[in-house]
């Protein structure tokens, strides 16, 4: 007669602890790799958005023989429509463009509930998925005809106004976009591969630096209530640097609210005027950055 063993097979408590410890080590090793993979994927998606915006700029140029104006000055010193609206038909957003394309200035259109909802609609192509900000820009607030401010759709992309300070035609902006600008390809005398067209700006966090409010950008507009620099709603200047953590004249906004910034570690991405997307280090030489943002200063430097 065969006697069956009453011994049970399974993990002892010590063995179970060893298995748990091994799994914990594996998770600890894999988690950073997973996070890095996700960050790289978001960065590539952001790069793709910048590239598509550059293509849309050229589509606009092929129709109108000029790049879109930085913004159209319908109300002096106040809220106006910017290049983001001009580009809507060329980024597959014709219905939104038709909704807000009439000649009424932005402050008047903000009084229309249907148009306001349209201007609060987030568009993926205008957002960098690496910036964990809200759909609406709560920092840069355009103003309607009654003096009421509104949160409109946020974008992480700003046009290049030039390497120096703010200047409007005919005083001589040096980038691609300004008030009522009509920059042509032939105006980029330093070469399209040597000149920035547009870049990134985060809402608040600057990767690897102390928290600084950068304000991102407003998808379709510039301007507020006539105070301060209205251009920064949609444009950037090279003199403000990249990922700057400095404060701007003691205000809540940092210097980065006039420059470029991102949630990518170490710098920001830009679309050059030939459509190529490159990464600029936050440690870039300030003179080199200004040269890259000036379309015709006689210093045709290349992205390092």
């Amino acid at each position: 007669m065969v006697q069956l063993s009453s011994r049970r097979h399974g993990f002892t408590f010590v063995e179970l602890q060893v298995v748990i410890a091994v799994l914990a080590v594996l998770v600890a090793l894999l988690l950073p790799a997973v996070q890095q993979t996700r960050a790289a994927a978001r960065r590539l998606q952001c790069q793709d958005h910048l590239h598509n915006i550059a293509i849309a700029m050229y589509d606009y140029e092929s129709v109108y023989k000029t790049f879109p104006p930085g913004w159209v000055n319908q109300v002096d010193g106040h809220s106006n429509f910017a290049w983001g609206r001009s580009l809507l038909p060329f980024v597959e957003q014709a219905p939104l463009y038709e909704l807000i394309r009439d000649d009424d200035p932005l402050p008047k259109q903000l009084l229309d509930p249907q148009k306001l909802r349209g201007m609060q609609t987030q568009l993926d192509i205008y957002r960098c998925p690496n910036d964990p900000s809200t759909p609406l820009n709560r920092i840069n607030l355009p103003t309607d005809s009654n003096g009421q401010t509104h949160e409109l759709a946020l974008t992480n992309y700003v046009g290049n106004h030039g390497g120096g300070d703010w200047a409007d035609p005919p005083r001589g902006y040096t980038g691609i976009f300004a008030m009522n600008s009509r920059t042509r390809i032939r105006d980029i005398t330093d070469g399209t591969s040597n000149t920035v067209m547009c870049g990134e700006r985060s809402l608040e966090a600057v990767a690897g630096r102390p928290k600084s409010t950068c304000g991102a950008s407003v998808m379709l507009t510039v301007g507020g209530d006539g105070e301060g620099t209205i251009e920064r709603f949609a444009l950037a200047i090279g003199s403000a640097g990249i990922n700057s953590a400095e404060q701007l004249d003691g205000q809540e906004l940092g210097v980065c609210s006039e420059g470029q910034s991102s949630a990518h570690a170490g710098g920001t991405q830009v679309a050059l005027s030939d459509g190529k997307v490159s990464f600029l280090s936050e440690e870039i030489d300030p003179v080199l950055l200004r040269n890259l943002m000036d379309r015709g200063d006689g210093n045709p430097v290349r992205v390092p």
Side-chain angles (χ1 to χ4, degrees), residues 50 53 57 70 82-84 125-127 137 140 155-162 166 176-177 196-202 214-219 221-222 231-238 241 256-262 268-271 293:
L50 276 168
I53 287 174
M57 292 287 188
W83 62 266
I125 191 173
Y126 285 146
R127 292 298 305 271
N137 194 316
N140 291 328
T155 177
N156 295 114
Y157 304 121
V158 286
N160 170 24
H161 182 75
W166 300 108
I176 309 297
F177 305 102
V196 171
M197 176 175 284
C198 53
E200 295 182 82
R201 185 184 296 153
S202 57
C214 302
S217 180
V218 184
M219 189 174 74
T221 79
V222 298
E231 296 96 326
R232 63 174 171 76
F233 277 48
L235 306 179
I237 49 177
C256 58
S257 68
E258 296 189 348
Q260 299 178 69
S261 63
S262 79
T268 186
Q269 298 184 119
V270 297
M293 295 187 71

Side-chain angles (χ1 to χ4, degrees), residues 25 30 71 87 93 103 111 115 120-121 132 140 151 167 173-174 189 194-195 209 220 225 232 251-252 256 261 270 282:
V25 170
L30 290 174
W71 80 95
L87 222 57
Q93 295 297 326
D103 293 332
L111 299 175
K115 293 184 177 184
Q120 291 175 329
T121 302
N140 291 328
E151 295 184 359
Y173 70 103
T174 59
T189 56
N194 307 314
T195 307
R209 295 291 183 90
L220 305 174
D225 57 3
R232 63 174 171 76
Q251 302 176 24
E252 177 187 359
C256 58
S261 63
V270 297
E282 61 191 25

Side-chain angles (χ1 to χ4, degrees), residues 14-303:
V14 174
E15 291 172 331
L16 186 59
Q17 285 184 312
V18 171
V19 171
I20 293 174
V22 171
L23 290 175
V25 170
L26 289 174
V27 170
L29 292 173
L30 290 174
L31 188 57
V34 171
Q35 291 174 334
Q36 290 176 2
T37 300
R38 289 177 176 174
R42 290 193 296 266
R43 177 170 162 174
L44 285 173
Q45 189 175 359
C46 186
Q47 177 181 337
D48 185 60
H49 290 172
L50 276 168
H51 177 65
N52 287 334
I53 287 174
I55 290 175
M57 292 287 188
Y58 269 91
D59 289 340
Y60 182 101
E61 193 277 339
S62 69
V63 173
Y64 298 103
K65 310 308 176 186
T66 177
F67 292 118
W71 80 95
V72 179
N73 190 48
Q74 293 179 293
V75 184
D76 283 342
H78 285 70
S79 301
N80 290 283
F81 284 111
W83 62 266
R85 181 182 77 154
S86 301
L87 222 57
L88 287 175
F90 304 94
V91 292
E92 300 181 349
Q93 295 297 326
L96 177 56
Y97 180 71
E98 291 299 325
L99 177 65
I100 59 175
R101 70 172 298 181
D102 59 53
D103 293 332
D104 285 338
L106 173 64
K108 183 177 180 180
Q109 294 201 40
L110 287 172
L111 299 175
D112 186 320
Q114 185 179 6
K115 293 184 177 184
L116 176 60
R117 285 193 298 271
M119 287 184 273
Q120 291 175 329
T121 302
Q122 180 180 332
L123 302 181
D124 288 344
I125 191 173
Y126 285 146
R127 292 298 305 271
C128 177
N130 222 37
D131 186 20
S133 51
T134 58
L136 302 182
N137 194 316
R138 64 180 185 276
I139 294 174
N140 291 328
L141 304 174
T143 307
D144 66 27
S145 298
N146 295 331
Q148 179 67 41
T149 58
H150 297 275
E151 295 184 359
L152 301 186
L154 182 146
T155 177
N156 295 114
Y157 304 121
V158 286
N160 170 24
H161 182 75
D165 297 323
W166 300 108
D168 296 325
R171 287 190 293 132
Y173 70 103
T174 59
I176 309 297
F177 305 102
M179 180 183 72
N180 299 331
S181 58
R182 294 180 58 84
T183 306
R184 299 158 296 181
I185 295 177
R186 69 183 185 187
D187 296 326
I188 309 175
T189 56
D190 281 353
T192 56
S193 62
N194 307 314
T195 307
V196 171
M197 176 175 284
C198 53
E200 295 182 82
R201 185 184 296 153
S202 57
L203 183 66
E204 289 182 337
V206 173
R209 295 291 183 90
K211 188 171 184 179
S212 182
T213 301
C214 302
S217 180
V218 184
M219 189 174 74
L220 305 174
T221 79
V222 298
D225 57 3
E227 298 295 328
T229 305
I230 68 171
E231 296 96 326
R232 63 174 171 76
F233 277 48
L235 306 179
I237 49 177
S239 57
I242 293 175
N243 283 0
S244 173
E246 298 179 35
Q247 291 302 111
L248 181 64
D249 300 327
Q251 302 176 24
E252 177 187 359
L253 287 171
V255 171
C256 58
S257 68
E258 296 189 348
Q260 299 178 69
S261 63
S262 79
H264 312 302
T268 186
Q269 298 184 119
V270 297
L272 298 172
S273 297
D274 64 355
K276 179 183 177 182
V277 178
S278 296
F279 187 81
L280 297 185
S281 169
E282 61 191 25
E283 303 297 334
I284 188 173
D285 184 296
V287 175
L288 177 58
L289 177 60
R290 293 174 186 176
N291 292 155
L292 285 170
M293 295 187 71
D294 285 343
R295 69 179 187 275
D297 64 351
N299 296 297
V301 296
R302 290 191 174 275
V303 174

